[in-house]
Amino acid sequence: MEVKTNEAKRPAAALNPLKFRAAIYNNMDSEDIGFSNYSYWKSTLRTFFKNKAVVALVALVTGMIVMSFMYPIFSTVDPNKVSMLPLEWNLRPSAEHWFGTDTLGRDIWARAWYGCRNSFLLGFCIACSDVGFGMIAGALWGYNKKIDPFMIELYNIMTNIPSTVYMVLLAYIMNTSYITLFVSMASRGWIVEARFFRNRILSIRDSEYNIASQCLGTPMRRIATRNIIPHIVSLIIMEAALCIPYSIGSEVFMGFVGVGMPVDAITLGNIVNQGRASFTLHPYQMLLPTVILCTITVAFYVIGNKFADASDPRNHV
Amino acid sequence: MKTALNGHTTPLILSAKNVEVKFNLRGKTLTAVRGASLDLYKGETLAIVGESGCGKSVFTKSFIGMLDKNGYISGGSITYDGEDMAKYTTEQEWLKVRGKKIAMVFQDPMTSLNPVRTIGEQITEVITWHFGTEHEQAKREAIELLKRVGIADAEYRYKQYPNEFSGGMRQRVVIATAIACRPEILICDEPTTALDVTVQAQIIRLIKELQKELDMTVVYITHDLGVVASVADWVGVMYAGQIIEYGTVHEIFKQPAHPYTKALLMSLPQLGVKGNDLYSIKGAPPNLFKKIEGDAFAPRNPEAMEIDFEQEPPRFDITPTHWAKTWLLHPYAEIYRKELDSAEHKRKISATKPEKPFGYKNAEKLLQVKNLSVNFKLGGKEFKAVDSVSFDIYKGETLSLVGESGSGKTTIGRAIMRIYNSNVSGSITYKDENIVEKMSKNETKKLHMEMQMIFQDPMASLNERAKVDYIISEGLYNYHLFDSEADRMHKVEEIMQEVGLPKEFSSRFPHEFSGGQRQRIGIARSLVMNPEFVVADEPISALDVSIRAQVINLLNKLKRERGLTYLFIAHDLSVVRFISDRIAVINKGRIVELAECEELFANPLHPYTKALLSAVPYPDPDVERSKKLLTYDRAMHNYTKDKPLWTEIKEGHFVLANQAEISIYRTEMEK
Amino acid sequence: MDAQQLKRYIRLIYTKAFRYLGAVLVLCALIGGIYGNRLHFVFASCAAGSGFLCWGWFTHLKRTGFKLVGFGEKTAEQAKTPYIWRIDKQKRLHKPSFMMTNADFDDDLVNATACNENEFSKENIIASRMYARAACGVMLIVISFIVNI
């Protein structure tokens, strides 16, 4: 038979019989379960920045965004300046042209940053439209049960067509322009965002704390600012962050297959495409735009994912 | 032999020794299980009782390697089949045991079911995975299993998705999936907590039958002592990551030794005397981040000894089958123990008489509900959640609305609170004013000031992104019910004091509180409006046993001090008996019986009321085992010609019945 | 099949057809892009369209009993851990919601938007493949007519 002593953690020291009497009871001790000083955003950011790679990537991306917006302001190099002298075409990297010049003698370093800026702008626009439209449609959808059948049908029709179909078809049927690109990329994403936000808003709307607010007579404005928006801000950030590399990648893909932007527009897609044309002779022309593209895509993807994890309270460990 | 001495007659199959489980949480290490030991013998039923956060689920999850990803076994051993499972590191090793030898049924069936696959496929998947059976054969076996766990029309149900099933049916499916591999040990982690009482009784019966058929060892993890009394042979009580008392079910219920076990049993509302405060355990379970010194229960135990704060008690054997970890059993504590016993004896004798029943003779009607119906649209079909319900609420009484989930009880509460703007018909009159119709801003304001609601789930009813300060003063902000910022702060502090929370807590976020504390914050939020009438929507059903008593006492205190009137919505008749003056039983949107509390328990008439009463688990193993379970089926009424009417069969006792039934009930009452 | 199921069946075909179409269009666009010529895109899509019509036809033949050697033989399925015994039930990386498919959502719309092969019989699934391939072929040929050179 097992004996009692093997259970006790400490060796049975000499016990003091005087200790076997009533102790003083303290109510505060029983009530306090430990002040953990938890705050949602603090924990989210802490979890997010705990990973060193994330810190590096965030720094890198911030640097690139700043660079791509500052360079066009401070630089004097005209990215569209075509040289008439064949001597200045396809130059190798040098002190004057850090990454060389392309087939028309344009400076690749300058063009890359201009392209980067334009691609970022496009990405931001698409992220805003996708997430913005999606959120508005999702809020309407969540608050109106009546439009359910219509939205479900629309959702079914739209999402069962892959996004590449929209992009390629629209690009081939309409003429290449900023608008075409924007329409073909923004036409599909919003509906999935709408369902995503609908679910969130629906669960917030039906949650007990929101019903409690209704019982207390809280006006709609305060319900939106206090009950709904604080709960979806992190989602908006995350969705937008993940939209950007996707849009930039799509633009490059469209450029690559020759249905992207007009040739005179400076975007990463066009630069990569031109680099590809002269790839066999001057492979270095493709280097910089490709590196920038890869960095943006990978960095945003990782950041978005890590943020998604960090914003989930279950991962606040 | 060891087995004979311990009172077990069957061979030992699993032995967990000094298991320690740790979690990494927010940069700290939390010890969820602090050296718990447990032996499982073949074919036996063991129940592990404890509050949420005591580590009971974590402890058993460590037997099948299903700890959350930040948790790990940091010490001790779990011997099963000659292998120490605590040493397992890879998923492959665990998969030899998990599901095949040791299976688990979780509290929420949806965590076990894949929402996007049909339930049949999920069972078939388990069968082919374990036995390597051909798909068609496995499918036939799965249908057999579904039939076995009591799912009618199994061939058709096979092709349905989990969300097409009710909660009880889902749990049956999970049980079928869990037993598909014929496991040796079945661990049921609060299998019925989320279910209705009648369904709960059926599920427990099903598990009992399956246990006999398959000769399984069943481990129940539960906080419900009634369930324990009805199923267990052996009981282990767990507190703060340790098993603190272990014994046969009779020993635990009749001669509890540990102060925590005693307190747990005393705080049950079934054993309370109406009108008196219920015995309540103070405070909240300990936070496991803190290092625990001595007996973990000591800070909450007003009768703790000094040694309890200093040294951890060892295990003391009381009988060969019963042991407990408390210093009270030490020879040195004998005098003190006798003192406590005599004090306890005195308390029992002096427990005052029950209060007088509520006087309905001169009572004034506060709220009248007439022919209230609420319709909902679901998937294009309209259905009646509430079907022409009528009742009155008198000023100062507590009317309880008892029914199962989906019976429409919450809907009635919310209809009274005007949450649904459309699809409500009938009339609700509050102080001679019909509140179903559109109301002016002033009238709405007046209503919000006088009627408030308390919610069920303390985890969901507080806005996680707001501080307690804002949550409590939300109502004050809405109608600007304060003169200055200082006045508002003062009001918040006052109300926090009233619900028993230190005022320093107002700058914290809801995350930092335990369930009971959060529920008190929710109560404070509605009371700050100074209401007269409160709809309490299952305010205690999501709380732990030890916390329930606190909240019940608080609600009763507020009723006495502020003269509140409650509409108390509940699914548990045992709690309702302790706090209500009248009880209305609701089934499928219709109130079937309404009577004063004691009258209803003495003379239940409607078959549904009887079924509900018989299904409530009672925390006494003798009562529980000799109980007969009654079932209710709507088809037992013949309402085709003879329509049921809402009839007052005796003064104050209403029942929904047709002419034929009324005469049967009359003769029944005369007996 | 009842009306609801028929609707879901049509949705299944529709989804499959567009999945094929999406993949083929990317290929065609790449061909068009590499040659730098819209004409090549039109040619490629027309050829792919004809190919898909043929594939659809062969699927039909196979369904009715005609066998081609080594055509569409299945490999045995790997035994996966059943869902109930997985530890991390949502193991996949987080997807940005615009890339989420119906299976990634866990809401009340799952049924209304479901596109699940499990609920149909094997014959129906093979038939759905045939229809999807043929439909994809027709669409590609139509596209080759619409696109201006």
Side-chain angles (χ1 to χ4, degrees):
Chain A
M1 194 183 136
E2 281 164 283
V3 264
K4 59 201 179 184
T5 38
N6 66 355
E7 278 283 310
K9 287 226 164 139
R10 296 178 198 176
L15 293 169
N16 181 358
L18 288 179
K19 294 278 184 195
F20 286 84
R21 61 172 185 206
I24 299 147
Y25 176 69
N26 182 342
N27 190 38
M28 189 64 193
D29 277 359
S30 72
E31 201 63 73
D32 203 4
I33 59 160
F35 187 16
S36 65
N37 199 11
Y38 179 91
S39 118
Y40 176 76
W41 282 105
K42 241 188 245 165
S43 290
T44 301
L45 292 178
R46 218 177 68 85
T47 317
F48 183 57
F49 286 117
K50 210 164 64 179
N51 193 331
K52 292 281 171 294
V54 168
V55 180
L57 283 176
V58 169
L60 188 69
V61 166
T62 321
M64 283 176 83
I65 293 175
V66 170
M67 180 70 183
S68 64
F69 282 90
M70 296 318 257
Y71 184 84
I73 298 174
F74 293 109
S75 152
T76 49
V77 184
D78 180 4
N80 276 328
K81 201 184 119 203
V82 178
S83 172
M84 290 300 150
L85 294 171
L87 273 178
E88 288 184 0
W89 296 352
N90 295 327
L91 282 182
R92 301 244 151 202
S94 63
E96 200 182 337
H97 303 288
W98 289 5
F99 282 83
T101 57
D102 68 2
T103 37
L104 292 171
R106 296 173 294 194
D107 183 53
I108 289 179
W109 172 251
R111 282 177 68 76
W113 290 115
Y114 274 90
C116 201
R117 183 193 63 175
N118 290 347
S119 288
F120 265 128
L121 280 176
L122 186 76
F124 284 129
C125 287
I126 288 167
C128 288
S129 101
D130 266 16
V131 177
F133 272 119
M135 206 179 63
I136 293 163
L140 290 176
W141 192 358
Y143 263 89
N144 288 304
K145 265 263 175 237
K146 277 177 211 146
I147 61 169
D148 248 13
F150 170 75
M151 289 301 280
I152 289 170
E153 280 314 309
L154 191 66
Y155 174 87
N156 279 338
I157 292 170
M158 286 182 68
T159 52
N160 287 328
I161 303 175
S163 52
T164 46
V165 174
Y166 288 93
M167 289 199 296
V168 174
L169 277 189
L170 277 170
Y172 267 99
I173 292 167
M174 290 161 76
N175 283 323
T176 54
S177 70
Y178 281 101
I179 301 295
T180 312
L181 203 65
F182 181 78
V183 168
S184 63
M185 279 196 248
S187 57
R188 182 179 179 273
W190 67 273
I191 186 102
V192 194
E193 300 283 355
R195 180 172 175 186
F196 183 75
F197 280 108
R198 167 200 179 265
N199 291 342
R200 292 307 165 111
I201 287 169
L202 203 62
S203 74
I204 293 171
R205 191 194 78 170
D206 293 343
S207 66
E208 284 191 341
Y209 74 83
N210 195 43
I211 290 174
S213 292
Q214 275 171 270
C215 288
L216 291 164
T218 309
M220 195 58 210
R221 191 173 42 85
R222 193 176 289 128
I223 285 187
T225 54
R226 283 297 199 142
N227 289 6
I228 298 178
I229 293 173
H231 287 258
I232 57 173
V233 171
S234 59
L235 297 176
I236 295 173
I237 296 174
M238 175 187 90
E239 292 297 324
L242 288 166
C243 250
I244 290 169
Y246 171 76
S247 333
I248 294 176
S250 303
E251 190 267 323
V252 171
F253 165 75
M254 304 268 273
F256 201 76
V257 299
V259 287
M261 293 296 203
V263 201
D264 54 335
I266 313 173
T267 65
L268 279 180
N270 277 353
I271 301 171
V272 171
N273 198 27
Q274 282 152 13
R276 183 183 54 81
S278 51
F279 183 72
T280 40
L281 288 173
H282 310 283
Y284 59 88
Q285 289 186 0
M286 225 172 126
L287 184 72
L288 183 64
T290 325
V291 167
I292 291 178
L293 178 71
C294 291
T295 320
I296 291 174
T297 318
V298 172
F300 266 97
Y301 189 71
V302 173
I303 290 173
N305 261 312
K306 290 284 171 197
F307 187 77
D309 286 345
S311 65
D312 185 347
R314 280 174 302 183
N315 291 328
H316 287 181
V317 292
Chain B
M1 243 180 72
K2 193 176 165 186
T3 49
L5 273 173
N6 280 338
H8 297 272
T9 49
T10 45
L12 176 75
I13 50 175
L14 185 142
S15 171
K17 286 232 177 331
N18 292 321
V19 175
E20 196 178 65
V21 179
K22 286 191 171 156
F23 283 88
N24 291 322
L25 194 65
R26 293 200 277 283
K28 288 183 198 161
T29 313
L30 175 153
T31 316
V33 180
R34 304 180 303 133
S37 305
L38 191 70
D39 290 337
L40 292 181
Y41 295 84
K42 191 157 183 59
E44 281 182 355
T45 313
L46 169 78
I48 300 179
V49 199
E51 317 181 51
S52 54
C54 74
K56 57 189 193 303
S57 282
V58 173
F59 181 40
T60 44
K61 272 184 188 164
S62 70
F63 296 173
I64 55 168
M66 278 183 98
L67 294 173
D68 291 338
K69 58 187 170 198
N70 56 341
Y72 55 94
I73 302 175
S74 55
S77 67
I78 306 169
T79 318
Y80 176 75
D81 238 1
E83 274 188 67
D84 182 7
M85 297 199 293
K87 303 254 171 344
Y88 283 180
T89 46
T90 61
E91 189 68 358
Q92 272 87 351
E93 284 173 302
W94 279 115
L95 282 174
K96 283 185 295 180
V97 177
R98 184 195 307 156
K100 299 185 172 177
K101 298 284 170 58
I102 307 178
M104 195 154 176
V105 175
F106 294 96
Q107 175 177 355
D108 179 7
M110 280 317 271
T111 57
S112 301
L113 297 173
N114 190 341
V116 293
R117 295 193 65 196
T118 64
I119 57 124
E121 287 298 325
Q122 298 187 47
I123 302 177
T124 311
E125 176 190 54
V126 174
I127 296 173
T128 42
W129 169 70
H130 180 49
F131 296 106
T133 328
E134 282 292 305
H135 187 266
E136 288 305 306
Q137 171 67 20
K139 188 174 169 178
R140 275 196 296 279
E141 281 175 27
I143 289 173
E144 278 309 306
L145 266 174
L146 282 176
K147 282 184 186 155
R148 180 61 202 88
V149 296
I151 287 178
D153 209 359
E155 281 90 352
Y156 173 71
R157 289 293 210 162
Y158 184 92
K159 291 188 198 136
Q160 286 189 311
Y161 291 89
N163 62 356
E164 294 171 62
F165 284 65
S166 67
M169 285 292 166
R170 279 180 203 161
Q171 198 58 289
R172 282 172 196 268
V173 172
V174 173
I175 291 171
T177 325
I179 61 161
C181 301
R182 317 271 143 170
E184 207 176 1
I185 301 173
L186 182 68
I187 302 170
C188 303
D189 185 358
E190 308 252 8
T192 56
T193 307
L195 305 176
D196 291 321
V197 264
T198 51
V199 180
Q200 167 176 341
Q202 290 163 10
I203 296 279
I204 286 174
R205 194 163 57 181
L206 173 70
I207 296 174
K208 272 188 195 167
E209 285 168 9
L210 291 170
Q211 178 183 18
K212 247 181 226 146
E213 260 177 53
L214 304 172
D215 195 21
M216 290 186 293
T217 303
V218 175
V219 181
Y220 278 93
I221 300 164
T222 181
H223 67 265
D224 188 339
L225 288 161
V227 172
V228 176
S230 88
V231 297
D233 304 326
W234 297 85
V235 181
V237 182
M238 206 159 171
Y239 189 78
Q242 282 185 339
I243 303 239
I244 51 154
E245 186 164 1
Y246 178 88
T248 64
V249 66
H250 284 92
E251 283 167 336
I252 297 289
F253 278 88
K254 308 284 175 188
Q255 290 126 18
H258 197 282
Y260 175 68
T261 318
K262 283 184 195 161
L264 212 54
L265 284 164
M266 276 198 289
S267 63
L268 288 171
Q270 284 95 328
L271 309 175
V273 182
K274 221 170 170 171
N276 293 314
D277 266 357
L278 211 54
Y279 181 88
S280 77
I281 306 179
K282 311 285 178 306
N287 181 327
L288 298 172
F289 279 124
K290 281 190 193 160
K291 196 170 160 6
I292 293 172
E293 288 272 344
D295 187 343
F297 185 58
R300 297 173 70 192
N301 181 8
E303 284 144 7
M305 296 180 291
E306 281 172 14
I307 186 136
D308 282 331
F309 291 94
E310 288 164 17
Q311 276 190 49
E312 188 180 318
R315 194 170 129 174
F316 292 97
D317 288 305
I318 303 159
T319 66
T321 54
H322 187 186
W323 56 259
K325 288 173 94 170
T326 169
W327 284 117
L328 271 184
L329 296 169
H330 195 274
Y332 285 164
E334 195 154 345
I335 304 163
Y336 186 62
R337 198 168 67 224
K338 281 204 179 117
E339 265 172 47
L340 284 185
D341 283 349
S342 64
E344 168 66 21
H345 191 64
K346 264 187 212 146
R347 197 186 68 85
K348 264 190 188 151
I349 292 173
S350 68
T352 34
K353 281 164 251 120
E355 71 176 347
K356 267 189 280 166
F358 188 82
Y360 284 98
K361 287 264 159 58
N362 322 319
E364 159 196 353
K365 279 180 188 171
L366 187 68
L367 185 100
Q368 284 170 284
V369 176
K370 272 213 183 71
N371 294 325
L372 176 74
S373 295
V374 183
N375 295 324
F376 283 122
K377 263 193 192 146
L378 200 73
K381 267 183 266 170
E382 197 160 290
F383 83 102
K384 274 192 171 160
V386 176
D387 188 1
S388 56
V389 157
S390 311
F391 59 89
D392 302 329
I393 297 176
Y394 295 91
K395 198 170 165 58
E397 75 160 339
T398 303
L399 173 71
S400 288
L401 209 53
V402 182
E404 310 196 321
S405 59
S407 62
K409 54 187 193 302
T410 299
T411 313
I412 293 177
R414 291 191 177 179
I416 291 172
M417 292 306 299
R418 296 167 41 92
I419 302 291
Y420 313 113
N421 6 18
S422 58
N423 53 42
V424 177
S425 60
S427 76
I428 303 171
T429 319
Y430 179 77
K431 288 191 176 168
D432 307 320
E433 216 170 311
N434 192 346
I435 57 171
V436 171
E437 286 144 27
K438 263 217 152 109
M439 295 173 80
S440 71
K441 232 180 178 173
N442 262 343
E443 286 170 316
T444 324
K445 177 182 169 181
K446 196 172 146 247
L447 217 58
H448 284 148
M449 309 271 287
E450 293 188 2
M451 278 167 50
Q452 274 306 320
M453 190 157 178
I454 300 170
F455 292 87
Q456 172 177 13
D457 184 359
M459 294 298 153
S461 62
L462 303 180
N463 187 350
E464 298 283 347
R465 302 278 192 279
K467 285 185 178 168
V468 171
D469 182 32
Y470 171 79
I471 292 173
I472 293 181
S473 34
E474 188 171 339
L476 300 177
Y477 281 126
N478 291 342
Y479 293 116
H480 211 83
L481 303 175
F482 50 91
D483 307 327
S484 62
E485 190 58 20
D487 183 39
R488 187 184 63 79
M489 281 311 293
H490 178 69
K491 279 185 170 160
V492 169
E493 281 169 13
E494 212 167 58
I495 203 85
M496 284 182 74
Q497 209 116 50
E498 199 169 345
V499 298
L501 289 170
K503 60 179 189 234
E504 292 80 26
F505 286 7
S506 71
S507 60
R508 298 187 184 180
F509 282 95
H511 287 98
E512 299 162 26
F513 296 96
S514 68
Q517 290 171 328
R518 292 174 71 130
Q519 195 61 295
R520 283 184 269 162
I521 296 171
I523 292 173
R525 168 179 60 190
S526 44
L527 286 185
V528 82
M529 303 289 274
N530 235 330
E532 278 180 47
F533 174 66
V534 174
V535 177
D537 184 5
E538 307 218 32
I540 53 163
S541 63
L543 300 179
D544 272 315
V545 198
S546 77
I547 308 294
R548 272 185 194 184
Q550 291 174 8
V551 174
I552 292 176
N553 286 345
L554 174 64
L555 289 174
N556 274 340
K557 184 188 104 182
L558 293 168
K559 182 184 172 185
R560 277 197 308 271
E561 289 172 4
R562 294 177 168 233
L564 292 177
T565 307
Y566 287 121
L567 173 63
F568 193 90
I569 297 167
H571 67 269
D572 186 348
L573 273 169
S574 60
V575 174
V576 160
R577 185 179 197 169
F578 181 73
I579 57 167
S580 46
D581 299 307
R582 286 193 304 158
I583 299 177
V585 178
I586 180 168
N587 179 33
K588 299 261 159 70
R590 306 204 67 169
I591 295 187
V592 295
E593 194 163 357
L594 194 160
E596 281 180 41
C597 183
E598 291 312 314
E599 165 72 13
L600 189 89
F601 277 87
N603 298 317
L605 292 177
H606 198 274
Y608 179 69
T609 315
K610 287 178 186 169
L612 210 55
L613 280 172
S614 84
V616 178
Y618 192 81
D620 182 330
D622 295 326
V623 177
E624 197 49 49
R625 266 149 228 235
S626 56
K627 191 171 80 174
K628 242 180 81 188
L629 202 61
L630 299 173
T631 49
Y632 171 71
D633 183 3
R634 268 198 140 187
M636 62 171 67
H637 303 289
N638 184 9
Y639 286 157
T640 42
K641 275 188 216 140
D642 201 357
K643 292 273 181 255
L645 292 169
W646 186 232
T647 326
E648 186 164 13
I649 202 156
K650 187 179 154 187
E651 203 192 339
H653 192 160
F654 296 83
V655 67
L656 185 74
N658 61 16
Q659 290 307 321
E661 286 171 335
I662 287 173
S663 54
I664 298 172
Y665 294 159
R666 284 239 157 85
T667 49
E668 223 176 277
M669 284 191 83
E670 276 155 24
K671 260 189 255 170
Chain C
M1 272 194 266
D2 57 29
Q4 280 295 316
Q5 218 179 354
L6 190 69
K7 204 171 151 192
R8 285 202 289 273
Y9 188 60
I10 292 170
R11 198 186 303 144
L12 186 72
I13 296 174
Y14 167 86
T15 310
K16 282 184 181 202
F18 273 103
R19 237 178 257 160
Y20 286 127
L21 185 67
V24 172
L25 275 184
V26 171
L27 257 169
C28 295
L30 275 176
I31 291 170
I34 285 165
Y35 286 96
N37 196 332
R38 290 168 83 93
L39 190 63
H40 283 93
F41 171 79
V42 174
F43 279 160
S45 61
C46 190
S50 316
F52 262 88
L53 275 180
C54 283
W55 195 10
W57 177 244
F58 276 117
T59 319
H60 170 70
L61 286 182
K62 192 179 167 235
R63 195 166 66 111
T64 49
F66 177 80
K67 278 215 173 79
L68 275 175
V69 185
F71 185 74
E73 260 160 48
K74 265 198 177 167
T75 47
E77 265 182 54
Q78 231 186 339
K80 273 195 304 181
T81 314
Y83 185 84
I84 180 172
W85 303 124
R86 286 181 214 158
I87 295 184
D88 202 354
K89 284 177 171 124
Q90 284 97 37
K91 207 176 179 177
R92 56 168 187 257
L93 260 178
H94 175 83
K95 273 189 190 171
S97 66
F98 58 83
M99 281 169 82
M100 279 167 100
T101 62
N102 175 56
D104 299 325
F105 286 102
D106 176 17
D107 58 8
D108 54 328
L109 302 182
V110 168
N111 264 8
T113 57
C115 225
N116 202 332
E117 284 199 346
N118 288 333
E119 67 173 308
F120 300 105
S121 67
K122 260 201 180 115
E123 271 116 80
N124 279 338
I125 292 171
I126 293 172
S128 76
R129 280 186 204 141
M130 176 192 84
Y131 291 126
R133 283 161 193 169
C136 174
V138 172
M139 278 190 285
L140 280 168
I141 291 171
V142 170
I143 287 167
S144 69
F145 281 108
I146 293 175
V147 170
N148 295 321
I149 300 167

